[in-house]
Amino acid sequence: RKEVEQDPGPFNVPEGATVAFNCTYSNSASQSFFWYRQDCRKEPKLLMSVYSSGNEDGRFTAQLNRASQYISLLIRDSKLSDSATYLCVVNDPGDYKLSFGAGTTVTVRA
Amino acid sequence: EAQVTQNPRYLITVTGKKLTVTCSQNMNHEYMSWYRQDPGLGLRQIYYSMNVEVTDKGDVPEGYKVSRKEKRNFPLILESPSPNQTSLYFCASSFPGDPYNEQFFGPGTRLTVL
């Protein structure tokens, strides 16, 4: 079983729509969670960290559900520029290794 | 400009011919790491380094070597490349210690081993 699993998509949505997707992780002791964005095989870039209480950054909302061991990302009012692959990243306590999901691809169409 | 640089960006080579991919960062980061990215598998960590002269294996270290003689540089060495090492490679750096540290990635090196 993979440590971090994501629905690969693609999620094809019209501009202005809301899209949401999850990521599940296998280690219940995992402590740190992130969403990275990757454009077309370019380098990943941090989108946002995911805090226990959930957090929002503009049109992006991240949630953590420890009981069910998943994190989610919701994008409101989708823009064409949101088209990308979103990588779920998990870090275990006392470990400097990051575990990456394979990514969820989102395509926003005009 | 704060950045992580990698060279070369693209490389086609043949089985068994030793190669080195360089990685350099100008942000004074202690932590550096190498990843490979393959379709459907996500990024997998090859090696990481907590500081100068301190390196450790990641998830897929077989067939790779690294060194950390200076803080800014973290080269990846393939002593005898094989076709299964054909992949997209990323170097990354960050400050360690804080679990919410952002990883800064280089632009990637696309390696093909024939």
Side-chain angles (χ1 to χ4, degrees), chain A residues 2-3 31-34 36 38 41-44 46 49-51 87 91 95-98 100-102, chain B residues 31 35 37 40-43 45 48 50 59 88 90 96-97 99-103 105-107 110:
Chain A
K2 290 183 182 177
E3 291 183 46
Q31 200 168 60
S32 307
F33 308 90
F34 313 88
Y36 277 71
Q38 186 175 28
R41 304 295 271 178
K42 292 191 174 180
E43 72 270 26
L46 180 66
S49 301
V50 184
Y51 302 125
L87 306 178
N91 173 246
D95 188 351
Y96 287 105
K97 182 175 74 70
L98 295 175
F100 284 77
Chain B
Y31 182 84
Y35 297 88
Q37 186 174 34
L41 296 178
L43 276 84
Q45 193 174 45
Y48 65 94
M50 297 297 296
D59 293 321
L88 178 58
F90 289 105
Y100 294 104
N101 275 328
E102 177 178 0
Q103 297 286 310
F105 287 84
R110 190 171 293 278

mmCIF file of all heavy atoms in Angstrom, chain A residues 2-3 31-34 36 38 41-44 46 49-51 87 91 95-98 100-102, chain B residues 31 35 37 40-43 45 48 50 59 88 90 96-97 99-103 105-107 110:
data_model
loop_
_atom_site.group_PDB
_atom_site.id
_atom_site.type_symbol
_atom_site.label_atom_id
_atom_site.label_comp_id
_atom_site.label_asym_id
_atom_site.label_seq_id
_atom_site.Cartn_x
_atom_site.Cartn_y
_atom_site.Cartn_z
ATOM 1 N N LYS A 2 0.576 2.179 -0.880
ATOM 2 C CA LYS A 2 1.344 3.409 -0.944
ATOM 3 C C LYS A 2 1.109 4.228 0.312
ATOM 4 O O LYS A 2 0.028 4.212 0.885
ATOM 5 C CB LYS A 2 0.919 4.233 -2.162
ATOM 6 C CG LYS A 2 1.336 3.617 -3.496
ATOM 7 C CD LYS A 2 0.929 4.538 -4.625
ATOM 8 C CE LYS A 2 1.274 3.944 -5.971
ATOM 9 N NZ LYS A 2 0.822 4.817 -7.079
ATOM 10 N N GLU A 3 2.148 4.994 0.716
ATOM 11 C CA GLU A 3 2.006 5.823 1.913
ATOM 12 C C GLU A 3 1.019 6.950 1.697
ATOM 13 O O GLU A 3 0.291 7.329 2.614
ATOM 14 C CB GLU A 3 3.369 6.394 2.285
ATOM 15 C CG GLU A 3 4.349 5.335 2.780
ATOM 16 C CD GLU A 3 5.662 5.954 3.218
ATOM 17 O OE1 GLU A 3 5.626 6.964 3.930
ATOM 18 O OE2 GLU A 3 6.713 5.428 2.853
ATOM 19 N N GLN A 31 2.531 13.873 10.745
ATOM 20 C CA GLN A 31 2.381 15.101 11.520
ATOM 21 C C GLN A 31 2.214 16.353 10.667
ATOM 22 O O GLN A 31 1.521 17.278 11.063
ATOM 23 C CB GLN A 31 3.619 15.255 12.400
ATOM 24 C CG GLN A 31 3.470 16.164 13.573
ATOM 25 C CD GLN A 31 4.645 15.994 14.516
ATOM 26 O OE1 GLN A 31 5.777 16.219 14.131
ATOM 27 N NE2 GLN A 31 4.370 15.592 15.727
ATOM 28 N N SER A 32 2.870 16.377 9.527
ATOM 29 C CA SER A 32 2.857 17.582 8.710
ATOM 30 C C SER A 32 2.299 17.261 7.332
ATOM 31 O O SER A 32 2.610 16.219 6.753
ATOM 32 C CB SER A 32 4.273 18.150 8.558
ATOM 33 O OG SER A 32 4.860 18.328 9.816
ATOM 34 N N PHE A 33 1.503 18.195 6.822
ATOM 35 C CA PHE A 33 0.797 17.934 5.562
ATOM 36 C C PHE A 33 0.853 19.180 4.693
ATOM 37 O O PHE A 33 0.752 20.312 5.188
ATOM 38 C CB PHE A 33 -0.667 17.574 5.846
ATOM 39 C CG PHE A 33 -0.825 16.483 6.857
ATOM 40 C CD1 PHE A 33 -0.929 16.773 8.208
ATOM 41 C CD2 PHE A 33 -0.848 15.148 6.461
ATOM 42 C CE1 PHE A 33 -1.056 15.764 9.158
ATOM 43 C CE2 PHE A 33 -0.977 14.135 7.404
ATOM 44 C CZ PHE A 33 -1.074 14.440 8.751
ATOM 45 N N PHE A 34 1.020 18.955 3.405
ATOM 46 C CA PHE A 34 1.177 20.075 2.488
ATOM 47 C C PHE A 34 0.488 19.763 1.170
ATOM 48 O O PHE A 34 0.347 18.602 0.777
ATOM 49 C CB PHE A 34 2.664 20.332 2.186
ATOM 50 C CG PHE A 34 3.557 20.360 3.394
ATOM 51 C CD1 PHE A 34 4.131 19.199 3.875
ATOM 52 C CD2 PHE A 34 3.831 21.543 4.039
ATOM 53 C CE1 PHE A 34 4.956 19.208 4.989
ATOM 54 C CE2 PHE A 34 4.661 21.574 5.152
ATOM 55 C CZ PHE A 34 5.209 20.409 5.625
ATOM 56 N N TYR A 36 1.354 20.802 -2.782
ATOM 57 C CA TYR A 36 2.251 21.438 -3.735
ATOM 58 C C TYR A 36 1.552 21.451 -5.086
ATOM 59 O O TYR A 36 0.752 20.571 -5.403
ATOM 60 C CB TYR A 36 3.580 20.679 -3.858
ATOM 61 C CG TYR A 36 4.598 21.011 -2.793
ATOM 62 C CD1 TYR A 36 4.427 20.596 -1.481
ATOM 63 C CD2 TYR A 36 5.743 21.750 -3.101
ATOM 64 C CE1 TYR A 36 5.361 20.907 -0.506
ATOM 65 C CE2 TYR A 36 6.687 22.053 -2.130
ATOM 66 C CZ TYR A 36 6.487 21.633 -0.843
ATOM 67 O OH TYR A 36 7.415 21.941 0.128
ATOM 68 N N GLN A 38 2.225 21.507 -9.285
ATOM 69 C CA GLN A 38 3.236 21.252 -10.313
ATOM 70 C C GLN A 38 2.617 21.506 -11.681
ATOM 71 O O GLN A 38 1.609 20.889 -12.040
ATOM 72 C CB GLN A 38 3.771 19.817 -10.228
ATOM 73 C CG GLN A 38 4.919 19.551 -11.190
ATOM 74 C CD GLN A 38 5.524 18.174 -11.020
ATOM 75 O OE1 GLN A 38 4.865 17.239 -10.601
ATOM 76 N NE2 GLN A 38 6.804 18.047 -11.367
ATOM 77 N N ARG A 41 5.186 19.107 -15.684
ATOM 78 C CA ARG A 41 6.523 18.539 -15.481
ATOM 79 C C ARG A 41 7.581 19.591 -15.115
ATOM 80 O O ARG A 41 8.768 19.355 -15.269
ATOM 81 C CB ARG A 41 6.971 17.763 -16.731
ATOM 82 C CG ARG A 41 5.992 16.692 -17.124
ATOM 83 C CD ARG A 41 5.864 15.605 -16.105
ATOM 84 N NE ARG A 41 6.823 14.533 -16.300
ATOM 85 C CZ ARG A 41 6.946 13.466 -15.499
ATOM 86 N NH1 ARG A 41 6.176 13.368 -14.445
ATOM 87 N NH2 ARG A 41 7.828 12.542 -15.753
ATOM 88 N N LYS A 42 7.144 20.733 -14.630
ATOM 89 C CA LYS A 42 8.080 21.692 -14.060
ATOM 90 C C LYS A 42 8.271 21.343 -12.593
ATOM 91 O O LYS A 42 7.724 20.356 -12.104
ATOM 92 C CB LYS A 42 7.548 23.113 -14.231
ATOM 93 C CG LYS A 42 7.508 23.568 -15.683
ATOM 94 C CD LYS A 42 7.223 25.046 -15.772
ATOM 95 C CE LYS A 42 7.326 25.512 -17.216
ATOM 96 N NZ LYS A 42 7.055 26.966 -17.337
ATOM 97 N N GLU A 43 9.046 22.147 -11.877
ATOM 98 C CA GLU A 43 9.299 21.840 -10.485
ATOM 99 C C GLU A 43 8.066 22.083 -9.630
ATOM 100 O O GLU A 43 7.308 23.030 -9.875
ATOM 101 C CB GLU A 43 10.489 22.661 -9.949
ATOM 102 C CG GLU A 43 10.220 24.136 -9.733
ATOM 103 C CD GLU A 43 10.514 24.957 -10.967
ATOM 104 O OE1 GLU A 43 10.450 24.421 -12.086
ATOM 105 O OE2 GLU A 43 10.791 26.156 -10.791
ATOM 106 N N PRO A 44 7.846 21.263 -8.611
ATOM 107 C CA PRO A 44 6.747 21.504 -7.675
ATOM 108 C C PRO A 44 6.995 22.776 -6.870
ATOM 109 O O PRO A 44 8.131 23.123 -6.568
ATOM 110 C CB PRO A 44 6.784 20.272 -6.757
ATOM 111 C CG PRO A 44 7.584 19.251 -7.498
ATOM 112 C CD PRO A 44 8.573 20.018 -8.305
ATOM 113 N N LEU A 46 5.304 24.989 -3.397
ATOM 114 C CA LEU A 46 4.378 24.912 -2.272
ATOM 115 C C LEU A 46 3.143 25.757 -2.538
ATOM 116 O O LEU A 46 3.235 26.942 -2.858
ATOM 117 C CB LEU A 46 5.070 25.395 -0.996
ATOM 118 C CG LEU A 46 4.204 25.362 0.260
ATOM 119 C CD1 LEU A 46 3.858 23.924 0.649
ATOM 120 C CD2 LEU A 46 4.903 26.071 1.415
ATOM 121 N N SER A 49 0.409 24.869 3.325
ATOM 122 C CA SER A 49 0.488 23.868 4.371
ATOM 123 C C SER A 49 -0.931 23.574 4.848
ATOM 124 O O SER A 49 -1.849 24.373 4.630
ATOM 125 C CB SER A 49 1.325 24.375 5.539
ATOM 126 O OG SER A 49 2.631 24.700 5.101
ATOM 127 N N VAL A 50 -1.111 22.438 5.483
ATOM 128 C CA VAL A 50 -2.440 22.053 5.969
ATOM 129 C C VAL A 50 -2.374 21.965 7.480
ATOM 130 O O VAL A 50 -1.606 21.163 8.030
ATOM 131 C CB VAL A 50 -2.882 20.696 5.389
ATOM 132 C CG1 VAL A 50 -4.310 20.379 5.829
ATOM 133 C CG2 VAL A 50 -2.764 20.689 3.877
ATOM 134 N N TYR A 51 -3.149 22.771 8.152
ATOM 135 C CA TYR A 51 -3.131 22.808 9.606
ATOM 136 C C TYR A 51 -4.311 22.010 10.161
ATOM 137 O O TYR A 51 -5.318 21.807 9.490
ATOM 138 C CB TYR A 51 -3.173 24.256 10.103
ATOM 139 C CG TYR A 51 -2.030 25.083 9.570
ATOM 140 C CD1 TYR A 51 -2.260 26.275 8.891
ATOM 141 C CD2 TYR A 51 -0.711 24.662 9.723
ATOM 142 C CE1 TYR A 51 -1.215 27.031 8.387
ATOM 143 C CE2 TYR A 51 0.336 25.406 9.225
ATOM 144 C CZ TYR A 51 0.080 26.595 8.552
ATOM 145 O OH TYR A 51 1.121 27.326 8.057
ATOM 146 N N LEU A 87 -0.027 18.026 -5.797
ATOM 147 C CA LEU A 87 0.661 16.945 -5.097
ATOM 148 C C LEU A 87 0.398 17.035 -3.603
ATOM 149 O O LEU A 87 0.569 18.091 -2.990
ATOM 150 C CB LEU A 87 2.174 17.034 -5.335
ATOM 151 C CG LEU A 87 2.658 17.091 -6.786
ATOM 152 C CD1 LEU A 87 4.184 17.227 -6.812
ATOM 153 C CD2 LEU A 87 2.234 15.864 -7.547
ATOM 154 N N ASN A 91 4.615 14.377 5.969
ATOM 155 C CA ASN A 91 5.875 14.212 6.691
ATOM 156 C C ASN A 91 5.605 13.534 8.025
ATOM 157 O O ASN A 91 4.671 13.927 8.743
ATOM 158 C CB ASN A 91 6.525 15.578 6.898
ATOM 159 C CG ASN A 91 7.742 15.517 7.790
ATOM 160 O OD1 ASN A 91 7.735 16.070 8.879
ATOM 161 N ND2 ASN A 91 8.783 14.842 7.341
ATOM 162 N N ASP A 95 11.132 12.588 11.215
ATOM 163 C CA ASP A 95 11.635 12.055 9.951
ATOM 164 C C ASP A 95 11.748 13.206 8.965
ATOM 165 O O ASP A 95 10.790 13.962 8.777
ATOM 166 C CB ASP A 95 10.659 11.000 9.429
ATOM 167 C CG ASP A 95 11.192 10.255 8.214
ATOM 168 O OD1 ASP A 95 12.236 10.669 7.680
ATOM 169 O OD2 ASP A 95 10.559 9.266 7.820
ATOM 170 N N TYR A 96 12.907 13.332 8.343
ATOM 171 C CA TYR A 96 13.058 14.411 7.372
ATOM 172 C C TYR A 96 12.710 13.979 5.964
ATOM 173 O O TYR A 96 12.991 14.672 5.009
ATOM 174 C CB TYR A 96 14.478 14.966 7.448
ATOM 175 C CG TYR A 96 14.681 15.784 8.695
ATOM 176 C CD1 TYR A 96 15.399 15.281 9.763
ATOM 177 C CD2 TYR A 96 14.121 17.045 8.812
ATOM 178 C CE1 TYR A 96 15.564 16.025 10.917
ATOM 179 C CE2 TYR A 96 14.279 17.797 9.954
ATOM 180 C CZ TYR A 96 15.008 17.281 11.010
ATOM 181 O OH TYR A 96 15.170 18.011 12.153
ATOM 182 N N LYS A 97 12.124 12.821 5.857
ATOM 183 C CA LYS A 97 11.695 12.336 4.545
ATOM 184 C C LYS A 97 10.263 12.789 4.305
ATOM 185 O O LYS A 97 9.413 12.687 5.180
ATOM 186 C CB LYS A 97 11.769 10.809 4.505
ATOM 187 C CG LYS A 97 11.387 10.222 3.160
ATOM 188 C CD LYS A 97 11.607 8.723 3.149
ATOM 189 C CE LYS A 97 10.563 7.959 3.938
ATOM 190 N NZ LYS A 97 9.259 7.974 3.283
ATOM 191 N N LEU A 98 10.045 13.312 3.126
ATOM 192 C CA LEU A 98 8.699 13.680 2.708
ATOM 193 C C LEU A 98 8.147 12.609 1.789
ATOM 194 O O LEU A 98 8.866 12.103 0.928
ATOM 195 C CB LEU A 98 8.714 15.012 1.959
ATOM 196 C CG LEU A 98 9.124 16.250 2.752
ATOM 197 C CD1 LEU A 98 9.199 17.451 1.832
ATOM 198 C CD2 LEU A 98 8.136 16.508 3.873
ATOM 199 N N PHE A 100 5.441 11.839 -1.097
ATOM 200 C CA PHE A 100 4.628 12.530 -2.091
ATOM 201 C C PHE A 100 3.593 11.592 -2.688
ATOM 202 O O PHE A 100 3.890 10.435 -2.988
ATOM 203 C CB PHE A 100 5.513 13.032 -3.237
ATOM 204 C CG PHE A 100 6.329 14.242 -2.910
ATOM 205 C CD1 PHE A 100 7.472 14.140 -2.132
ATOM 206 C CD2 PHE A 100 5.976 15.487 -3.389
ATOM 207 C CE1 PHE A 100 8.232 15.256 -1.826
ATOM 208 C CE2 PHE A 100 6.732 16.612 -3.111
ATOM 209 C CZ PHE A 100 7.863 16.492 -2.322
ATOM 210 N N GLY A 101 2.388 12.111 -2.900
ATOM 211 C CA GLY A 101 1.422 11.402 -3.713
ATOM 212 C C GLY A 101 1.775 11.588 -5.182
ATOM 213 O O GLY A 101 2.603 12.432 -5.539
ATOM 214 N N ALA A 102 1.134 10.787 -6.032
ATOM 215 C CA ALA A 102 1.421 10.853 -7.470
ATOM 216 C C ALA A 102 0.758 12.054 -8.138
ATOM 217 O O ALA A 102 1.067 12.360 -9.285
ATOM 218 C CB ALA A 102 0.995 9.567 -8.145
ATOM 219 N N TYR B 31 19.392 21.767 4.579
ATOM 220 C CA TYR B 31 18.817 20.520 4.092
ATOM 221 C C TYR B 31 18.733 20.524 2.570
ATOM 222 O O TYR B 31 18.208 21.468 1.968
ATOM 223 C CB TYR B 31 17.416 20.356 4.682
ATOM 224 C CG TYR B 31 16.690 19.079 4.313
ATOM 225 C CD1 TYR B 31 16.900 17.906 5.019
ATOM 226 C CD2 TYR B 31 15.773 19.058 3.264
ATOM 227 C CE1 TYR B 31 16.228 16.739 4.705
ATOM 228 C CE2 TYR B 31 15.100 17.897 2.925
ATOM 229 C CZ TYR B 31 15.321 16.748 3.655
ATOM 230 O OH TYR B 31 14.660 15.592 3.336
ATOM 231 N N TYR B 35 15.229 13.848 -5.642
ATOM 232 C CA TYR B 35 14.051 13.051 -5.925
ATOM 233 C C TYR B 35 14.070 12.630 -7.393
ATOM 234 O O TYR B 35 14.647 13.316 -8.240
ATOM 235 C CB TYR B 35 12.765 13.869 -5.713
ATOM 236 C CG TYR B 35 12.532 14.337 -4.305
ATOM 237 C CD1 TYR B 35 13.060 15.546 -3.850
ATOM 238 C CD2 TYR B 35 11.767 13.591 -3.423
ATOM 239 C CE1 TYR B 35 12.844 15.992 -2.563
ATOM 240 C CE2 TYR B 35 11.528 14.034 -2.126
ATOM 241 C CZ TYR B 35 12.069 15.233 -1.709
ATOM 242 O OH TYR B 35 11.838 15.671 -0.430
ATOM 243 N N GLN B 37 11.110 11.470 -10.347
ATOM 244 C CA GLN B 37 9.678 11.466 -10.588
ATOM 245 C C GLN B 37 9.374 10.623 -11.813
ATOM 246 O O GLN B 37 9.905 10.880 -12.905
ATOM 247 C CB GLN B 37 9.138 12.888 -10.796
ATOM 248 C CG GLN B 37 7.627 12.947 -10.914
ATOM 249 C CD GLN B 37 7.097 14.368 -10.971
ATOM 250 O OE1 GLN B 37 7.727 15.267 -11.519
ATOM 251 N NE2 GLN B 37 5.926 14.599 -10.376
ATOM 252 N N GLY B 40 2.892 8.072 -12.537
ATOM 253 C CA GLY B 40 2.090 7.229 -11.660
ATOM 254 C C GLY B 40 2.704 6.925 -10.309
ATOM 255 O O GLY B 40 2.047 6.346 -9.445
ATOM 256 N N LEU B 41 3.949 7.332 -10.109
ATOM 257 C CA LEU B 41 4.636 7.002 -8.846
ATOM 258 C C LEU B 41 4.898 8.214 -7.975
ATOM 259 O O LEU B 41 5.290 8.080 -6.825
ATOM 260 C CB LEU B 41 5.952 6.291 -9.133
ATOM 261 C CG LEU B 41 5.852 4.931 -9.806
ATOM 262 C CD1 LEU B 41 7.242 4.366 -10.063
ATOM 263 C CD2 LEU B 41 5.039 3.961 -8.944
ATOM 264 N N GLY B 42 4.763 9.386 -8.498
ATOM 265 C CA GLY B 42 5.057 10.566 -7.702
ATOM 266 C C GLY B 42 6.541 10.749 -7.511
ATOM 267 O O GLY B 42 7.367 10.046 -8.102
ATOM 268 N N LEU B 43 6.899 11.675 -6.674
ATOM 269 C CA LEU B 43 8.305 11.923 -6.368
ATOM 270 C C LEU B 43 8.777 10.942 -5.302
ATOM 271 O O LEU B 43 8.110 10.760 -4.275
ATOM 272 C CB LEU B 43 8.505 13.348 -5.856
ATOM 273 C CG LEU B 43 8.666 14.438 -6.900
ATOM 274 C CD1 LEU B 43 7.304 14.907 -7.371
ATOM 275 C CD2 LEU B 43 9.460 15.603 -6.338
ATOM 276 N N GLN B 45 12.130 9.970 -2.907
ATOM 277 C CA GLN B 45 13.387 10.536 -2.435
ATOM 278 C C GLN B 45 14.532 9.552 -2.630
ATOM 279 O O GLN B 45 14.431 8.377 -2.260
ATOM 280 C CB GLN B 45 13.280 10.927 -0.969
ATOM 281 C CG GLN B 45 14.424 11.802 -0.495
ATOM 282 C CD GLN B 45 14.217 12.304 0.914
ATOM 283 O OE1 GLN B 45 13.827 11.542 1.794
ATOM 284 N NE2 GLN B 45 14.445 13.591 1.148
ATOM 285 N N TYR B 48 19.199 12.350 0.924
ATOM 286 C CA TYR B 48 19.077 13.677 1.486
ATOM 287 C C TYR B 48 20.296 13.979 2.344
ATOM 288 O O TYR B 48 21.055 13.070 2.730
ATOM 289 C CB TYR B 48 17.767 13.854 2.279
ATOM 290 C CG TYR B 48 17.639 12.999 3.515
ATOM 291 C CD1 TYR B 48 18.015 13.495 4.767
ATOM 292 C CD2 TYR B 48 17.104 11.717 3.434
ATOM 293 C CE1 TYR B 48 17.866 12.718 5.906
ATOM 294 C CE2 TYR B 48 16.960 10.943 4.567
ATOM 295 C CZ TYR B 48 17.343 11.442 5.802
ATOM 296 O OH TYR B 48 17.204 10.676 6.937
ATOM 297 N N MET B 50 21.426 16.527 5.696
ATOM 298 C CA MET B 50 21.028 17.469 6.740
ATOM 299 C C MET B 50 21.998 18.647 6.835
ATOM 300 O O MET B 50 21.617 19.719 7.301
ATOM 301 C CB MET B 50 20.941 16.764 8.086
ATOM 302 C CG MET B 50 19.888 15.683 8.145
ATOM 303 S SD MET B 50 18.247 16.358 7.909
ATOM 304 C CE MET B 50 18.119 17.388 9.356
ATOM 305 N N ASP B 59 14.245 6.708 -0.109
ATOM 306 C CA ASP B 59 13.488 5.496 -0.417
ATOM 307 C C ASP B 59 14.095 4.652 -1.542
ATOM 308 O O ASP B 59 13.918 3.436 -1.559
ATOM 309 C CB ASP B 59 12.061 5.875 -0.835
ATOM 310 C CG ASP B 59 11.284 6.459 0.319
ATOM 311 O OD1 ASP B 59 11.443 5.959 1.448
ATOM 312 O OD2 ASP B 59 10.518 7.413 0.092
ATOM 313 N N LEU B 88 12.820 11.833 -14.454
ATOM 314 C CA LEU B 88 12.935 13.266 -14.227
ATOM 315 C C LEU B 88 13.432 13.462 -12.799
ATOM 316 O O LEU B 88 12.796 12.973 -11.855
ATOM 317 C CB LEU B 88 11.572 13.936 -14.426
ATOM 318 C CG LEU B 88 11.473 15.445 -14.174
ATOM 319 C CD1 LEU B 88 12.430 16.223 -15.065
ATOM 320 C CD2 LEU B 88 10.026 15.917 -14.396
ATOM 321 N N PHE B 90 14.705 15.851 -9.563
ATOM 322 C CA PHE B 90 14.617 17.160 -8.930
ATOM 323 C C PHE B 90 15.504 17.218 -7.698
ATOM 324 O O PHE B 90 15.513 16.299 -6.885
ATOM 325 C CB PHE B 90 13.182 17.464 -8.487
ATOM 326 C CG PHE B 90 12.229 17.736 -9.612
ATOM 327 C CD1 PHE B 90 11.300 16.789 -10.001
ATOM 328 C CD2 PHE B 90 12.254 18.965 -10.258
ATOM 329 C CE1 PHE B 90 10.424 17.043 -11.032
ATOM 330 C CE2 PHE B 90 11.370 19.235 -11.293
ATOM 331 C CZ PHE B 90 10.456 18.268 -11.685
ATOM 332 N N PRO B 96 15.985 22.856 7.804
ATOM 333 C CA PRO B 96 15.423 21.750 8.562
ATOM 334 C C PRO B 96 14.901 22.233 9.914
ATOM 335 O O PRO B 96 14.990 23.406 10.231
ATOM 336 C CB PRO B 96 16.627 20.838 8.769
ATOM 337 C CG PRO B 96 17.777 21.790 8.877
ATOM 338 C CD PRO B 96 17.453 22.925 7.933
ATOM 339 N N GLY B 97 14.367 21.316 10.676
ATOM 340 C CA GLY B 97 13.967 21.633 12.041
ATOM 341 C C GLY B 97 12.495 21.957 12.151
ATOM 342 O O GLY B 97 11.777 21.376 12.944
ATOM 343 N N PRO B 99 8.880 21.590 11.024
ATOM 344 C CA PRO B 99 8.172 20.613 10.174
ATOM 345 C C PRO B 99 7.353 21.236 9.065
ATOM 346 O O PRO B 99 6.951 20.556 8.144
ATOM 347 C CB PRO B 99 7.257 19.891 11.183
ATOM 348 C CG PRO B 99 7.096 20.837 12.308
ATOM 349 C CD PRO B 99 8.380 21.595 12.395
ATOM 350 N N TYR B 100 7.139 22.541 9.126
ATOM 351 C CA TYR B 100 6.355 23.161 8.072
ATOM 352 C C TYR B 100 7.214 23.901 7.057
ATOM 353 O O TYR B 100 6.762 24.795 6.387
ATOM 354 C CB TYR B 100 5.329 24.133 8.672
ATOM 355 C CG TYR B 100 4.288 23.414 9.495
ATOM 356 C CD1 TYR B 100 4.329 23.450 10.870
ATOM 357 C CD2 TYR B 100 3.289 22.694 8.874
ATOM 358 C CE1 TYR B 100 3.378 22.784 11.627
ATOM 359 C CE2 TYR B 100 2.336 22.026 9.614
ATOM 360 C CZ TYR B 100 2.384 22.079 10.987
ATOM 361 O OH TYR B 100 1.454 21.424 11.721
ATOM 362 N N ASN B 101 8.474 23.499 6.952
ATOM 363 C CA ASN B 101 9.361 24.163 6.006
ATOM 364 C C ASN B 101 8.986 23.905 4.562
ATOM 365 O O ASN B 101 8.661 22.791 4.174
ATOM 366 C CB ASN B 101 10.800 23.699 6.212
ATOM 367 C CG ASN B 101 11.493 24.487 7.287
ATOM 368 O OD1 ASN B 101 11.202 25.651 7.473
ATOM 369 N ND2 ASN B 101 12.396 23.842 7.987
ATOM 370 N N GLU B 102 9.083 24.951 3.774
ATOM 371 C CA GLU B 102 8.853 24.842 2.346
ATOM 372 C C GLU B 102 10.075 24.251 1.671
ATOM 373 O O GLU B 102 11.201 24.640 1.936
ATOM 374 C CB GLU B 102 8.569 26.225 1.774
ATOM 375 C CG GLU B 102 8.370 26.243 0.272
ATOM 376 C CD GLU B 102 8.054 27.633 -0.233
ATOM 377 O OE1 GLU B 102 7.996 28.570 0.591
ATOM 378 O OE2 GLU B 102 7.860 27.783 -1.447
ATOM 379 N N GLN B 103 9.835 23.297 0.792
ATOM 380 C CA GLN B 103 10.896 22.737 -0.034
ATOM 381 C C GLN B 103 11.000 23.585 -1.302
ATOM 382 O O GLN B 103 10.001 23.818 -1.987
ATOM 383 C CB GLN B 103 10.561 21.297 -0.428
ATOM 384 C CG GLN B 103 10.458 20.334 0.734
ATOM 385 C CD GLN B 103 11.820 19.987 1.305
ATOM 386 O OE1 GLN B 103 12.732 19.619 0.585
ATOM 387 N NE2 GLN B 103 11.958 20.115 2.605
ATOM 388 N N PHE B 105 12.465 23.637 -4.984
ATOM 389 C CA PHE B 105 12.920 22.685 -5.975
ATOM 390 C C PHE B 105 13.685 23.368 -7.106
ATOM 391 O O PHE B 105 13.384 24.506 -7.493
ATOM 392 C CB PHE B 105 11.741 21.933 -6.589
ATOM 393 C CG PHE B 105 11.130 20.914 -5.673
ATOM 394 C CD1 PHE B 105 10.183 21.279 -4.733
ATOM 395 C CD2 PHE B 105 11.510 19.586 -5.757
ATOM 396 C CE1 PHE B 105 9.620 20.335 -3.885
ATOM 397 C CE2 PHE B 105 10.950 18.630 -4.907
ATOM 398 C CZ PHE B 105 10.007 19.004 -3.975
ATOM 399 N N GLY B 106 14.670 22.639 -7.640
ATOM 400 C CA GLY B 106 15.318 23.070 -8.862
ATOM 401 C C GLY B 106 14.413 22.796 -10.054
ATOM 402 O O GLY B 106 13.360 22.171 -9.912
ATOM 403 N N PRO B 107 14.809 23.210 -11.261
ATOM 404 C CA PRO B 107 13.959 23.102 -12.444
ATOM 405 C C PRO B 107 13.839 21.694 -13.006
ATOM 406 O O PRO B 107 13.015 21.446 -13.868
ATOM 407 C CB PRO B 107 14.653 24.022 -13.455
ATOM 408 C CG PRO B 107 16.076 23.999 -13.041
ATOM 409 C CD PRO B 107 16.074 23.892 -11.543
ATOM 410 N N ARG B 110 16.024 16.068 -16.936
ATOM 411 C CA ARG B 110 15.389 14.932 -17.620
ATOM 412 C C ARG B 110 16.498 14.042 -18.169
ATOM 413 O O ARG B 110 17.229 14.440 -19.084
ATOM 414 C CB ARG B 110 14.475 15.412 -18.732
ATOM 415 C CG ARG B 110 13.610 14.310 -19.323
ATOM 416 C CD ARG B 110 12.558 14.856 -20.277
ATOM 417 N NE ARG B 110 11.554 15.663 -19.598
ATOM 418 C CZ ARG B 110 10.514 15.161 -18.952
ATOM 419 N NH1 ARG B 110 10.329 13.863 -18.889
ATOM 420 N NH2 ARG B 110 9.648 15.971 -18.364
#
